């Protein structure tokens, strides 16, 4: 980071560039009053000194927030060490605002996620009328979410040059809400068809028929959504690029792994029965098999 203050209003460079650098006295004459007006002020209850810190990273980036924490810790330690009890440090700007929002978000995140899961679980129970099945469907989207978080950290580190484990705090928050909602939409669409087909053909053939009937629709929707989210990778802001990467990967994982493999596998494991042979089936069921 670059620090600018009353003694260094232009930053850590030794002399100003151009004409002002050739005439130091002219530089002090022109810059001095402007610097004093910008960096100092007298108030009825005391004096104010301003210090500008310009980060080399984006103001929203986790690295900037981490640097701000170091600065705050250092200033507080210096104020205590120099016994300036009446002095206090106040922070303004985009990065301090991001830091404060992140702190508030951490306390609210568990509440929001808990209410989201409780609401979705209630809706699933009302639709499928099987609490165990509803709980498993909710578990599948949680597996997809945590797998996506891990993959995003690795891909952001290798592709977007982010530090490992340093994805933006906004990514998990919005990813959870969007991915859980999208995943449960696909779950409900598939399970509703499975339950409908299983009434006529049994769980084994009903699951096969449901996958065949809904697979094309779910795959098409997943590819469209993943492609749309992937366009965010073109953004220059790292937060949006990470968000697009996470959403695109999460939707693809949900479309090609969770929905066609994990969910049907659970259904068939719960209803363990010998797989009927095609020869012993009626003609309509034999064609479906």
């Amino acid at each position: 980071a670059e620090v600018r203050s009353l003694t260094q209003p232009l930053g850590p460079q030794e002399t100003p560039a151009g004409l002002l650098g050739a005439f130091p006295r002219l530089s002090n004459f022109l810059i001095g009053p402007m610097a004093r007006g910008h960096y100092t002020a007298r108030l009825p209850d005391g004096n104010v000194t301003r210090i500008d810190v310009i980060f080399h990273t984006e103001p929203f980036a986790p690295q900037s927030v981490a640097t701000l924490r170091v600065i705050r810790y250092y200033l507080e330690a210096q104020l205590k060490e120099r016994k300036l009890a009446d002095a206090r440090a106040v922070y303004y700007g985009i990065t301090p605002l991001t830091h404060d929002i992140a702190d508030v978000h951490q306390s609210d995140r568990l509440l929001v996620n808990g209410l989201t899961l409780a609401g979705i679980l209630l809706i699933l129970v009302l639709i499928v009328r099987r609490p165990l099945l509803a709980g498993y469907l909710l578990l599948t989207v949680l597996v997809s979410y945590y797998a996506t978080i891990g993959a995003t950290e690795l891909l952001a580190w290798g592709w977007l040059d982010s530090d490992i484990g340093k994805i933006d705090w906004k990514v998990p928050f919005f990813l959870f809400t969007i991915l859980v909602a999208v995943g449960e939409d696909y779950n409900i669409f598939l399970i509703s068809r499975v339950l409908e087909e299983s009434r006529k053909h049994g769980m084994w053939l009903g699951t096969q028929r449901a996958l065949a009937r809904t697979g094309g629709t779910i795959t098409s929707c997943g590819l469209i959504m993943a492609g749309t989210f992937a366009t965010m990778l073109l953004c220059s802001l790292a937060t949006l690029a990470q968000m697009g990467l996470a959403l695109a990967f999460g939707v693809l994982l949900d479309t090609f792994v969770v929905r066609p493999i994990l969910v049907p596998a659970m259904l068939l494991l719960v209803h363990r029965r010998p797989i009927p042979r095609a020869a012993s089936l009626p003609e309509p069921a034999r064609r479906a098999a």
Side-chain angles (χ1 to χ4, degrees):
E2 178 180 316
V3 179
R4 298 180 182 180
S5 61
L6 178 62
T7 57
Q8 289 183 324
L10 300 179
Q13 56 186 1
E14 296 181 359
T15 58
L19 181 62
L20 295 180
F23 299 94
R25 292 185 178 180
L26 178 61
S27 172
N28 294 333
F29 177 77
L30 294 178
I31 298 178
M34 291 187 293
R36 283 190 293 272
H38 181 77
Y39 290 104
T40 61
R42 292 183 178 273
L43 300 177
D45 56 348
N47 299 326
V48 177
T49 299
R50 172 174 175 167
I51 299 176
D52 292 334
V53 180
I54 294 88
F55 296 116
H56 297 307
T57 54
E58 296 175 357
F60 299 101
Q63 295 86 346
S64 299
V65 176
T67 304
L68 175 63
R69 291 195 179 101
V70 174
I71 294 174
R72 297 180 70 166
Y73 177 80
Y74 174 79
L75 286 179
E76 291 174 2
Q78 289 296 314
L79 292 178
K80 292 181 180 179
E81 181 180 344
R82 299 176 185 275
K83 299 180 180 179
L84 299 174
D86 297 334
R88 63 190 182 96
V90 181
Y91 307 88
Y92 295 97
I94 297 177
T95 303
L97 178 62
T98 303
H99 175 271
D100 295 340
I101 294 176
D103 287 343
V104 174
H105 158 264
Q106 291 299 330
S107 61
D108 294 343
R109 180 178 173 184
L110 292 178
L111 176 62
V112 173
N113 291 354
L115 291 176
T116 301
L117 293 177
I120 292 177
L121 181 61
L122 178 61
I123 295 174
L124 287 174
V125 171
L126 293 176
I127 293 177
V128 302
R129 301 184 183 279
R130 299 180 184 181
L132 182 61
L133 178 58
Y136 177 80
L137 294 178
L138 192 63
L139 181 62
T140 58
V141 295
L142 291 179
V143 170
S144 177
Y145 166 74
Y146 285 111
T148 301
I149 287 293
T152 301
E153 291 190 358
L154 292 177
L155 292 174
W157 169 65
W159 188 4
L160 302 178
D161 294 329
S162 300
D163 294 338
I164 188 71
K166 292 291 185 180
I167 60 175
D168 193 272
W169 62 269
K170 294 182 285 296
V171 174
F173 181 79
F174 291 105
L175 176 66
F176 182 87
T177 305
I178 297 174
L179 196 59
V180 168
V182 172
E184 289 305 343
D185 283 345
Y186 292 167
N187 270 339
I188 292 173
F189 183 54
L190 174 61
I191 288 299
S192 299
R193 192 58 184 260
V194 168
L195 296 178
E196 179 183 347
E197 294 288 345
S198 63
R199 296 189 188 99
K200 302 177 182 178
H201 307 284
M203 184 57 67
W204 285 92
L205 292 180
T207 302
Q208 295 178 24
R209 293 174 64 91
L211 283 173
R213 300 292 177 85
T214 62
T217 303
I218 293 177
T219 301
S220 300
C221 293
L223 289 175
I224 292 173
M225 292 192 66
T228 303
F229 290 137
T231 58
M232 298 172 65
L233 289 169
L234 302 177
C235 297
S236 57
L237 195 61
T239 300
L240 294 179
Q242 292 177 4
M243 186 75 71
L245 178 63
L247 289 172
F249 181 88
V251 170
L252 290 177
L253 179 67
D254 203 72
T255 302
F256 292 101
V257 177
V258 175
R259 210 64 49 233
I261 298 177
L262 293 184
V263 174
M266 185 279 303
L267 291 174
L268 298 182
L269 285 175
V270 171
H271 298 79
R272 285 186 177 181
R273 295 175 183 174
I275 302 178
R277 297 181 180 179
S280 62
L281 296 175
E283 184 64 25
R286 191 184 310 158
R287 293 176 182 175

